[in-house]
Amino acid sequence: MASREFARGRRLVARLPYGADLLEAIAAVADEHRVLVGEVRAIGALQRARLAVYDQETREYEEWVLDRPLELVTLLGNVSRRDGQTAVHVHATVSDHGLACFGGHVAPGCVVFACELFLQELTGGEPLERGFDDETGLPLWRNV
Amino acid sequence: MASREFARGRRLVARLPYGADLLEAIAAVADEHRVLVGEVRAIGALQRARLAVYDQETREYEEWVLDRPLELVTLLGNVSRRDGQTAVHVHATVSDHGLACFGGHVAPGCVVFACELFLQELTGGEPLERGFDDETGLPLWRNV
Amino acid sequence: MASREFARGRRLVARLPYGADLLEAIAAVADEHRVLVGEVRAIGALQRARLAVYDQETREYEEWVLDRPLELVTLLGNVSRRDGQTAVHVHATVSDHGLACFGGHVAPGCVVFACELFLQELTGGEPLERGFDDETGLPLWRNV
């Protein structure tokens, strides 16, 4: 099994700014504190969402825009490295009036209304690095 | 970016009592252990749920009652302070026969069937305190 | 309130193998590193899912198979002990083309496409042990 122990680094709490792009804001928190690898969790609300589902046959993400206010019910994921840059990989469930849920891979274009974010840094050893994985067509960790 | 480093405090695990109000039970765990700030995660089942979605225009929560047994698929959120009291802010996804999901902000009136809860205390510096935020109409952290 | 403090153990990150059974792969990570108690979080994608909802009247799990590729939007739960063995208890939300969500208790038969998993070990004191709970009919923690 590909698995590795990390040391715990810093524990950061952030309040993401109104109007920010969700992915960019998470990357900004990581970059500001120079977090290379970490785990991310958040709740809040969005002004609009853009979520994707990976098509395992065509190997492309299909995206859907939800152009309305939404509850950010759960956001879960991680920060690692890809081509020397901060790579934020997070999934979200959002909901609507009536509590109907929509979920997927967070794409650029999710606009923050309010967001309470926890980022747990993981240190020790080589930072997790993403690289192309033949079996799935996804940029998975090549050094876990 | 409004973000702050915290020190890790205690790691608490709780089994919430059958029939308890979900929000009250989480606050009781925090209060019993004198946790001022922390992160919360849980899974379990509910006898009934009351979830809300924030209307970003009228600035009021709209609530829906799901008056039937439900799986508590995910609960994510935090504990901080508001007006000198423990403020539990958690979001949940619940599901039904057929696996249909409903999600939102956890309101008073969710009744526990069974619940396995993790509470990670965060210490160091001034405890996170909620105050009215003009831009959103929400009680957001004023000192993150 | 039944609650207990744990010490933090190791922090493990795993990339679950393509084609593996999700529950078995999580148990394998725990067993390989001899983790007795821990918290689990993951995101990824599945080739198929088998999720359950507990029927609080009949006290049996009802299961549904989603026999198609799915986004693993969130996985949350824990590892503890039952009858001297590793017991993985996790809940998941999955989604589909169109972002529709399905959620429940993860049953055997979820097949991994890709999965990024975090396992936080909890040590100190007697390991959490599951035993039959009369009130719910579920194998809940008897020593939290």
Side-chain angles (χ1 to χ4, degrees):
Chain A
M1 185 74 64
S3 61
R4 183 144 66 96
E5 189 182 341
F6 281 82
R8 258 167 261 98
R10 293 160 294 162
R11 165 83 53 159
L12 301 160
V13 179
R15 173 180 155 183
L16 303 187
Y18 179 92
D21 180 85
L22 181 58
L23 280 181
E24 286 175 14
I26 297 171
V29 174
D31 288 345
E32 211 174 287
H33 295 271
R34 299 173 189 268
V35 171
L36 299 182
V37 178
E39 206 195 339
V40 175
R41 293 175 291 273
I43 60 171
L46 300 175
Q47 298 179 45
R48 66 198 296 273
R50 191 151 153 259
L51 301 176
V53 170
Y54 189 67
D55 186 315
Q56 297 173 19
E57 281 196 24
T58 65
R59 300 186 157 210
E60 286 181 1
Y61 277 106
E62 263 193 278
E63 295 182 344
W64 285 268
V65 172
L66 303 168
D67 197 8
R68 54 186 187 272
L70 296 150
E71 210 67 13
L72 177 58
V73 184
T74 51
L75 180 140
L76 211 66
N78 55 69
V79 170
S80 59
R81 309 299 293 168
R82 185 177 177 190
D83 301 328
Q85 306 242 317
T86 299
V88 177
H89 181 211
V90 289
H91 284 189
T93 306
V94 297
S95 77
D96 228 22
H97 293 274
L99 307 178
C101 285
F102 304 89
H105 175 92
V106 174
C110 291
V111 180
V112 172
F113 179 76
C115 187
E116 298 173 356
L117 183 106
F118 293 78
L119 171 57
Q120 169 64 59
E121 184 186 31
L122 298 172
T123 59
E126 197 189 9
L128 283 169
E129 182 85 32
R130 296 187 177 279
F132 182 77
D133 173 62
D134 272 341
E135 204 157 30
T136 60
L138 287 167
L140 299 184
W141 292 325
R142 53 162 195 73
N143 61 344
V144 71
Chain B
M1 186 73 66
S3 61
R4 183 142 68 95
E5 190 182 340
F6 281 82
R8 258 167 259 98
R10 293 161 293 162
R11 166 82 52 159
L12 300 160
V13 179
R15 172 181 155 182
L16 303 187
Y18 179 93
D21 180 85
L22 182 58
L23 280 181
E24 287 175 14
I26 298 172
V29 174
D31 288 344
E32 211 173 287
H33 295 271
R34 300 174 189 266
V35 171
L36 299 181
V37 179
E39 206 194 340
V40 175
R41 293 176 289 274
I43 61 171
L46 300 176
Q47 298 179 45
R48 66 198 296 272
R50 192 152 153 258
L51 301 176
V53 170
Y54 189 68
D55 187 315
Q56 298 173 18
E57 282 196 21
T58 65
R59 299 185 158 210
E60 286 181 2
Y61 276 105
E62 263 194 278
E63 295 182 345
W64 285 267
V65 172
L66 303 167
D67 196 9
R68 54 186 186 273
L70 296 150
E71 209 67 13
L72 177 57
V73 185
T74 51
L75 180 141
L76 211 67
N78 54 70
V79 170
S80 59
R81 309 300 292 167
R82 185 178 178 190
D83 301 329
Q85 306 242 315
T86 300
V88 177
H89 181 211
V90 290
H91 284 188
T93 306
V94 298
S95 77
D96 227 23
H97 294 275
L99 307 178
C101 285
F102 303 89
H105 175 91
V106 175
C110 290
V111 180
V112 172
F113 179 76
C115 186
E116 298 173 356
L117 183 106
F118 293 77
L119 171 58
Q120 168 64 60
E121 185 186 30
L122 297 172
T123 59
E126 198 190 8
L128 283 169
E129 182 84 32
R130 295 187 177 278
F132 182 77
D133 173 63
D134 273 340
E135 204 158 32
T136 60
L138 288 167
L140 300 184
W141 293 325
R142 55 162 193 71
N143 61 344
V144 72
Chain C
M1 184 75 64
S3 61
R4 184 144 66 97
E5 189 182 340
F6 281 81
R8 258 166 260 98
R10 294 160 293 162
R11 165 84 53 159
L12 300 161
V13 179
R15 173 181 155 182
L16 303 187
Y18 179 93
D21 180 85
L22 182 59
L23 280 181
E24 287 174 14
I26 297 171
V29 174
D31 289 344
E32 211 174 287
H33 295 271
R34 299 174 189 268
V35 171
L36 299 181
V37 178
E39 206 195 338
V40 175
R41 294 176 290 273
I43 61 172
L46 300 176
Q47 298 179 45
R48 65 197 297 271
R50 191 151 153 261
L51 301 176
V53 170
Y54 189 67
D55 187 314
Q56 298 173 18
E57 283 196 23
T58 65
R59 300 187 157 210
E60 285 181 3
Y61 276 106
E62 263 195 277
E63 295 182 344
W64 285 268
V65 171
L66 304 167
D67 196 8
R68 54 185 186 273
L70 295 150
E71 208 68 12
L72 177 57
V73 184
T74 52
L75 180 141
L76 211 66
N78 55 69
V79 170
S80 60
R81 309 299 294 168
R82 185 178 178 189
D83 302 327
Q85 306 242 314
T86 300
V88 177
H89 181 211
V90 290
H91 284 188
T93 307
V94 298
S95 77
D96 227 24
H97 293 274
L99 307 178
C101 285
F102 304 89
H105 176 91
V106 174
C110 292
V111 180
V112 172
F113 180 76
C115 186
E116 298 173 356
L117 183 106
F118 293 78
L119 171 57
Q120 168 65 59
E121 185 186 30
L122 297 172
T123 60
E126 198 189 8
L128 283 169
E129 182 84 33
R130 295 187 178 278
F132 181 78
D133 172 64
D134 273 339
E135 202 156 34
T136 60
L138 287 168
L140 299 184
W141 292 324
R142 53 162 195 73
N143 61 344
V144 71

